[in-house]
Amino acid sequence: MGSMFRSEEVALVQLFLPTAAAYTCVSRLGELGLVEFRDLNASVSAFQRRFVVDVRRCEELEKTFTFLQEEVQRAGLVLPPPEGRLPAPPPRDLLRIQEETERLAQELRDVRGNQQALRVQLHQLQLHAAVLGQGHSPQLAATHTYGASERTPLLQAPGGPHQDLRVNFVAGAVEPHKAPALERLLWRACRGFLIASFRELERPLEHPVTGEPATWMTFLISYWGEQIGQKIRKITDCFHCHIFPFLEQEEARRAALQQQSQELQEVLGETERFLSQVLGRVQQLLPPAQVQVRKMKAVYLALNQCSMSTTHKCLIAETWCAARDLPALQEALRDSSMEEGVSAVAHRIPSRDMPPTLIRTNRFTASFQGIVDAYGVGRYQEVNPAPYTIVTFPFLFAVMFGDVGHGLLMFLFALAMVLAENRPAMKAAQNEIWQTFFGGRYLLLLMGLFSVYTGFIYNECFSRASSIFPSGWSVAAMANQSGWSDAFLAQHTMLTLDPNVTGVFLGPYPFGIDPIWSLAANHLSFLNSFKMKMSVILGVVHMAFGVVLGVFNHMHFGQRHRLLLETLPELTFLLGLFGYLVFLVIYKWLRVSATNAASAPSILIHFINMFLFSHSPTNRPLYPRQEVVQAMLVVLALAMVPVLLLGTPLHLLHRHRRRRRRPTGRKQEDKAGLLGLPDASVNCWGSDEEKAGGLEDEQEAELVPSEVFMHQAIHTIEFCLGCVSNTASYLRLWALSLAHAQLSEVLWAMVMRIGLGLGREVGVAAVVLVPIFATFAVMTVAILLVMEGLSAFLHALRLHWVEFQNKFYSGTGYKLSPFTFAAAED
Amino acid sequence: VRVRRPARLTTLGARLLRMRSALPSRGPENLQRPPLGPASRLGIPRPAMTAHSFALPVIIFTTFWGLIGIAGPWFVPKGPNRGVIITMLVATAVCCYLFWLIAILAQLNPLFGPQLKNETIWYVRFLWE
């Protein structure tokens, strides 16, 4: 069979890496991605491991890298992706990378600091210039012309000596949102002793730190009195205003300010040019360095998982490796250690733990393996349901989705994705939903294809039936023989064709459902009966297939007793009861015809009476001696239950007791024969409980009877009750296909049919059909394709995960996740 | 031929009636159906309802899916995917054949016939046959 039938053979391989070559060997292994390292130092904390210093150095470097990356991104530049093969650098290169990055980071910090300071200074200068330039002239003019009257206080100061009546000015700038509050506070505190005028700047200035433009408000406060002056200064301090000295003759001052600000801008320009140079160097250096340091850290983390040999000359590593890759592994080790002049070896050792599962997939089979693995990764070397799922999953989906038109749309969409899959635009898309659809393109392709087929069988294309072959029902024959004149037809709105009348039913439609049924009012009566029986038949076949797949598991794991004690009773139970139901259905289809349709036997009543051992007089038997046969089958099936319940545990107990009674030498011989060497794994006593107890059940030292009986009782109950409930569960095939057909029908009848029936004049219908068809198309895609598609997908998945897989699949394994740099490079 | 129009006739029924009145009357005594229906007057040759055999489709489809499922695996080229392709072929053949077989068996001996509206009966009777 193909490689997907069960997991590949995975071996435990012990590597001896001489210390000089350990780093290069592990780095080479990371490039190849063949082996999964087992942690031999699990009991040691991360801080006490051998290479913790190197790991820490790498991590610090990564911190510096993050800082540099943020700076680059803040400047709006983009880091180019690294090109070429970048192997993990040898340890001595780490120092060089470290020095360079430190230097760059320091330069960057300095330059940024300078730039910041310069910008703050520039901002101040600009504010000062703006304040001085603001035309607070009316106020100034006022102080000049009405000097005398302004100098008298508006309110008589309460007593006291004559205060200083000279007018002073406070000029400054305040942030716009604080200006009203400042104004209010000044008014409340110093009312009557000051005049404040606020003006907004014409153009906004950039904030030095955040770079956001803000329009500042400049103010000029003229006041008199020393205490008022102090109050004003305190208030403006509170509001973080910038205060500048204000003198009345300002022209020279302003020119000086202009010159200063120009010089400052030149210096700032130079600084920014230098900054961009530094950033350019960072852009060149950073991407490859990041990749290299990441790889180096991964190598050190892997080396931390190895243990040191007693002579301290060698590192011992235990890895899981596919048996097929062992020669490649040995060659890689040989090559990379040859450079150092030493030789590293790898040899296989036996293991008692359950190895990880490895199933190689290509891009087509990967999505199907993915949906099986989503339930649970298979135990090592148990039968993999994925190769069968490639066909049965799309098929069961299609049974629930069957419509030629919808299937065709799905198929074309998937085909477009498949044909364009190698374009880089597809892989670079960030949208998660698109990525999900793209990842399942082969799944969608097959689902669409099978849906077209089942659509032809259900004879539905956007809910319309098509007559590829002429129908098997003749209306004319019925009309002629029953005397359906026009008057008769006018009086009766509904008339039924009777298959008993000769010439009415001319034979079964050769491919699918007869198109006459789509015109019939009792369309659903026929279809429901057909689809329910179809669901039960498909369900029983699917489940029987699952039980049969269990045979391969039993044979592979050497548990042949289970063939007789489990598989046979299970198949007898399932087929004896539900296989018999399928037989009844098919027998009735073949033998009961319309001639005695009124007294046609009801399968449901027969089935119920079979279990209750009772008899309905009105329900005639399908074949002679039916009751005897049914009674025998029920008794046989019930007899299988104790076999299933007690067979395997008794057999295991018996064998265990028999082995115990034999001389003990035989047992050791057995063990030695099976294992070869005494267990050479360094890690054998530290194994997890999940991984233990895989392959050789017979070698269990202790067999606890109660556990075995309990386990088997659970399995028996699960199987027997599951047979009934799972068979009924397959009726969802009927339910969903009915829902899909009805939704499709409603959409057609309510949207398109009304649209096609509108307007007798030429042209009206054409114009009206455009929005109507648009509605129809949008709703088809949204409701019928997306919603129903997801629904049918989910139910098909559930049928596989629960009803099919619980007959044979345990799914308690773990995947081989090899040590590779490919994941780290993302 | 004058036909009394019933009160609940729709426009479609009216149109059919006008067509039907243009055709020669066919009474219940006329049981021999011409091999080509009246639709041939419109220039479309349409066969009458033909009897469908059961054996012929069974033979054809069994052979078809049998070729795919039983003979196909022998022709799959050797390669790493041989097992998977064979599994797919066999599974497809089994599933599709079973589904088709269920559909045709369910219609082999119908216990009841379709219940049609009177307009449908008019339409089908005179346009399909």
Side-chain angles (χ1 to χ4, degrees), chain A residues 804-815:
Chain A
F804 175 57
Q805 285 180 355
N806 73 1
K807 304 284 180 288
F808 69 99
Y809 189 64
S810 70
T812 50
Y814 62 109
K815 259 196 192 173

Side-chain angles (χ1 to χ4, degrees), chain A residues 2 453 470 475-476 484 486 489 492-497 505-506 508 510-512 514 520-522 534 589-590 592 594, chain B residues 6 8 20 49 51-52 61 83 92 95-96 99-100 102-103 107-111 113-118 122 124-125 129:
Chain A
Y453 178 77
V475 175
W484 286 357
D486 292 333
L489 285 178
H492 296 85
T493 30
M494 290 287 188
L495 288 165
T496 309
L497 270 64
F505 176 63
L506 301 166
F511 187 66
D514 201 302
N522 58 352
M534 163 203 80
W589 275 343
L590 289 172
V592 177
Chain B
R8 293 176 56 228
R20 188 238 176 286
M49 300 300 171
H52 292 301
F61 282 99
T92 310
C95 287
C96 294
F99 197 61
W100 167 82
I102 293 172
Q107 298 178 95
L108 191 56
N109 292 316
L111 297 177
Q115 187 186 38
L116 304 169
K117 280 204 307 193
N118 50 5
W122 270 314
V124 170
R125 187 173 170 191
E129 309 184 32

Side-chain angles (χ1 to χ4, degrees), chain A residues 1-4 362 364-365 387-388 390-392 395 399 446 450 453-454 457-458 467 469-477 479-481 483-484 486-487 489-490 492-497 499 505-514 516-517 519-522 525-526 530 534 537-538 541 586 588-594 597 600, chain B residues 3-6 8-9 11 15 17 20 26-33 46-54 57-58 61 65 80-84 86-126 128-129:
Chain A
M1 255 283 194
S3 57
M4 276 181 81
N362 54 25
F364 176 72
T365 51
Y388 321 103
I390 297 180
V391 168
T392 55
F395 177 69
V399 170
L446 284 188
F450 275 96
Y453 178 77
T454 55
I457 302 264
Y458 286 152
S467 313
F469 303 95
S471 170
W473 292 82
S474 166
V475 175
N480 294 340
Q481 299 206 12
W484 286 357
D486 292 333
L489 285 178
H492 296 85
T493 30
M494 290 287 188
L495 288 165
T496 309
L497 270 64
F505 176 63
L506 301 166
Y509 195 71
F511 187 66
I513 304 286
D514 201 302
I516 194 93
W517 287 106
L519 301 170
N522 58 352
S525 301
F526 169 71
F530 157 65
M534 163 203 80
I537 295 175
L538 288 179
V541 169
I586 298 182
K588 186 175 171 189
W589 275 343
L590 289 172
R591 301 292 278 185
V592 177
S593 71
Chain B
V3 179
R4 180 176 62 85
R5 288 169 191 242
R8 293 176 56 228
L9 206 51
T11 48
R15 226 182 312 154
L17 265 181
R20 188 238 176 286
R26 299 158 44 136
E29 64 275 7
N30 179 15
L31 294 176
Q32 294 290 9
R33 272 172 288 129
R46 258 210 112 97
M49 300 300 171
T50 49
H52 292 301
S53 74
F54 177 61
V58 169
F61 282 99
W65 290 115
N81 297 323
R82 184 160 201 255
V84 174
I86 291 178
T87 314
M88 281 175 69
L89 283 175
V90 174
T92 310
V94 167
C95 287
C96 294
Y97 178 65
L98 185 63
F99 197 61
W100 167 82
L101 190 66
I102 293 172
I104 198 169
L105 284 180
Q107 298 178 95
L108 191 56
N109 292 316
L111 297 177
F112 59 93
Q115 187 186 38
L116 304 169
K117 280 204 307 193
N118 50 5
E119 292 165 6
T120 315
I121 297 175
W122 270 314
Y123 181 89
V124 170
R125 187 173 170 191
F126 293 109
W128 277 12
E129 309 184 32

Side-chain angles (χ1 to χ4, degrees), chain A residues 95-163:
Chain A
L95 205 56
R96 179 182 53 86
I97 297 179
Q98 205 171 2
E99 276 173 14
E100 273 182 30
T101 19
E102 287 289 305
R103 200 163 11 111
L104 273 177
Q106 192 55 38
E107 268 182 35
L108 205 57
R109 265 185 230 116
D110 287 340
V111 170
R112 272 255 181 248
N114 286 346
Q115 189 199 30
Q116 208 54 22
L118 284 173
R119 279 170 92 169
V120 168
Q121 233 180 330
L122 184 66
H123 189 245
Q124 281 285 84
L125 278 177
Q126 282 174 333
L127 270 181
H128 196 177
V131 165
L132 292 184
Q134 277 295 56
H136 290 277
S137 28
Q139 195 174 357
L140 282 176
T143 56
H144 287 300
T145 34
Y146 303 106
S149 55
E150 284 298 317
R151 290 209 177 109
T152 54
L154 297 167
L155 292 173
Q156 199 64 30
H162 224 357
Q163 285 157 8

Side-chain angles (χ1 to χ4, degrees), chain A residues 3 8 87 90 121 303 335 402 481 577 588 627 643 687 748 825:
Chain A
S3 57
E8 270 186 34
Q121 233 180 330
L303 282 174
D335 286 342
Q481 299 206 12
L577 296 178
K588 186 175 171 189
E627 297 203 353
V643 174
S687 54
W748 176 272
E825 267 173 29

